[in-house]
Amino acid sequence: MNELAAETARSSEFARLAVEGLSTSPKRAEAKFFYDEEGSRLFDRICELEEYYPTRTETAILRARAPELAEWVPEGAALVELGSGSSTKTRILLDALPGLGAYVPLDISAEHMQASARALAAHYPALDIHPVAADFTRAIELPGDLRAMPKLLFFPGSTIGNFTPPEAVELLRRLRGIDNVAGFVLGVDLRKDEDVLVRAYDDAEGVTAAFNKNLLRRMNTELGADFDLDRFGHEARWNEACSRIEMHLVSTCDQSVRVAGHRIDFARGESIHTESSHKYSVDGFREMAATAGWSADETWVDDRGLFSVHVLRP
Ligand code: AVI
C-alpha cells in the first residue's frame, strides 16, 4: 500500500470506529486515536508531570536493574520496542546492552516515531535502526531480515494496562508467537491509593484534560466533526470492580454534534469513555502472563510499590 492509500485507510477506520463508539450506550472512543502528533506531544508532557508517577518510577527501576539484562541477552539481538514513544527508556536499555544488533521501534504514530528514531541515530551512529509504522494491536509483521535474529521485546510505560485483561492476554499470546524471542521486558502499573491514581490522570495544570480533549479536536479536523471543546469536561474515575482508571469526556449540556455525517446526541452529564488504564497486583500480572504462555522470570518493583517491571521468558 502506498502512503496516500495507507493514510486514507487509516482515516476511514478512524471515522468508522468513532461513529460506532459514539452510537453505542455508554458512548466510548478508542484510546489508540489519542496519538496524532499533538496527542503524542501532550503525552510527552504528561510523562513529565509531578502527579504522573509512572514514567519517573519506571525509569528509575530500569536504570537500577537494566545492567542485569546483559547477563543473558544474546550478542547481536534486536531490541523490539512496542509503541516507541519518547526514547529516554530505550536509551537505558541501549546503554546497558551495547552488543545489541538492531533497534526496531514499532509505533502507530509514524511522524513521532521517525523523529525519535532520528534523535537516537544521532546518539548511536553504529546502531541499525528499523522503524516500523504499525498498529501492534493488530498483526505484528517484522521485516524479513529481522525474523531470524534473537529478540528482546520491550513494552514500557504500562501501555499493556490500556487493554482489557482479555485483550492483554491475547496481545501477550501473539507476542509469545514471534520467532526467536529471548525475553520480554515490560512495565506494569500497580494498584494503589485511589487519590494518587485520580491525580495522576487529572493533573492540576490540565495537561491530561487537553490530551483527552485532543481526541475531539482530531475528530473536528480529520472527520469534519463539530465538537465544541468547551462543552465537554475531562474526568478521571477509579473503577474498583475493574481495577482501572477511566478517562471520560462529560457533556456539560444537552447537545447534538455531527461526526462524519452522523448526528450524535448527548444528554447533559453523559460521557464518552475514552480510555481505561488497568492497574494490577504483581501476582495478578504474573498469572496473566503465564496464561499467555510466558514464564515470569523476575519482577522489579520500586521501594514505594508504585510500579513494576517484569522480565518474561518464553
Ligand atoms: C500510554 N498509557 C500507558 C497512559 C496511561 O497511563 O494509561 C496513557 C495516559 N492517559 C492519561 N495519562 C496517561
Side-chain angles (χ1 to χ4, degrees):
M1 216 190 288
N2 67 31
E3 248 324 290
L4 184 63
E7 187 47 47
T8 309
R10 274 197 293 272
S11 70
S12 69
E13 190 204 14
F14 182 26
R16 183 176 59 76
L17 292 174
V19 171
E20 213 173 276
L22 293 171
S23 308
T24 58
S25 178
K27 292 179 170 52
R28 57 175 163 70
E30 296 238 356
K32 68 179 177 183
F33 294 117
F34 280 133
Y35 300 95
D36 64 346
E37 217 178 329
E38 175 65 1
S40 299
R41 193 187 64 76
L42 286 165
F43 181 64
D44 284 349
R45 280 187 62 201
I46 289 176
C47 292
E48 286 165 10
L49 292 169
E50 167 61 29
E51 295 96 326
Y52 195 73
Y53 61 86
T55 311
R56 62 173 177 278
T57 312
E58 183 181 43
T59 303
I61 296 172
L62 289 171
R63 283 219 169 94
R65 310 300 295 260
E68 294 172 28
L69 298 172
E71 288 162 24
W72 56 268
V73 173
E75 274 287 309
L79 177 65
V80 179
E81 181 170 357
L82 303 163
S84 66
S86 78
S87 58
T88 320
K89 294 172 210 167
T90 317
R91 289 176 186 222
I92 298 172
L93 262 57
L94 293 175
D95 291 343
L97 300 166
L100 286 174
Y103 171 57
V104 185
L106 276 167
D107 205 305
I108 193 171
S109 168
E111 300 88 1
H112 194 65
M113 177 176 60
Q114 300 287 359
S116 303
R118 275 194 300 276
L120 270 186
H123 204 84
Y124 301 89
L127 186 69
D128 192 4
I129 303 183
H130 285 255
V132 178
D135 178 357
F136 59 80
T137 62
R138 295 168 169 242
I140 298 167
E141 277 290 323
L142 292 177
D145 45 337
L146 292 172
R147 280 194 204 126
M149 287 172 94
K151 288 172 221 34
L152 177 66
L153 307 184
F154 184 39
F155 194 21
S158 197
T159 303
I160 192 80
N162 296 132
F163 296 84
T164 63
E167 287 167 350
V169 170
E170 173 56 27
L171 174 61
L172 292 172
R173 199 170 271 140
R174 274 195 294 117
L175 293 168
R176 173 72 183 77
I178 295 178
D179 290 335
N180 285 313
V181 171
F184 185 9
V185 175
L186 86 169
V188 179
D189 197 11
L190 297 174
R191 285 176 60 91
K192 60 185 61 66
D193 208 58
E194 180 173 339
D195 286 353
V196 177
L197 285 168
V198 170
R199 268 190 285 120
Y201 291 83
D202 191 6
D203 62 280
E205 225 185 297
V207 183
T208 311
F211 173 72
N212 201 7
K213 287 192 180 186
N214 182 53
L215 203 54
L216 303 185
R217 191 201 50 80
R218 242 196 115 174
M219 289 191 209
N220 285 352
T221 49
E222 293 179 35
L223 308 180
D226 58 359
F227 282 101
D228 178 344
L229 272 53
D230 293 333
R231 293 177 158 202
F232 287 85
H234 164 74
E235 233 179 82
R237 300 178 188 162
W238 172 243
N239 180 331
E240 173 65 31
C242 299
S243 193
R244 69 189 190 202
I245 279 281
E246 297 175 357
M247 293 211 308
H248 290 261
L249 288 166
V250 183
S251 178
T252 58
C253 56
D254 292 340
Q255 56 180 318
S256 296
V257 177
R258 289 204 76 78
V259 180
H262 296 253
R263 177 183 148 162
I264 311 287
D265 295 324
F266 287 87
R268 179 164 183 251
E270 187 178 4
S271 83
I272 312 172
H273 178 182
T274 53
E275 186 186 59
S276 292
S277 201
H278 294 81
K279 309 300 170 187
Y280 289 93
S281 66
V282 165
D283 289 346
F285 184 77
R286 287 168 74 108
E287 270 167 38
M288 190 162 92
T291 307
W294 291 94
S295 116
D297 193 6
E298 296 227 45
T299 303
W300 302 325
V301 177
D302 60 290
D303 293 347
R304 296 171 63 202
L306 294 173
F307 198 91
S308 59
V309 174
H310 295 257
V311 179
L312 307 178
R313 302 285 217 118

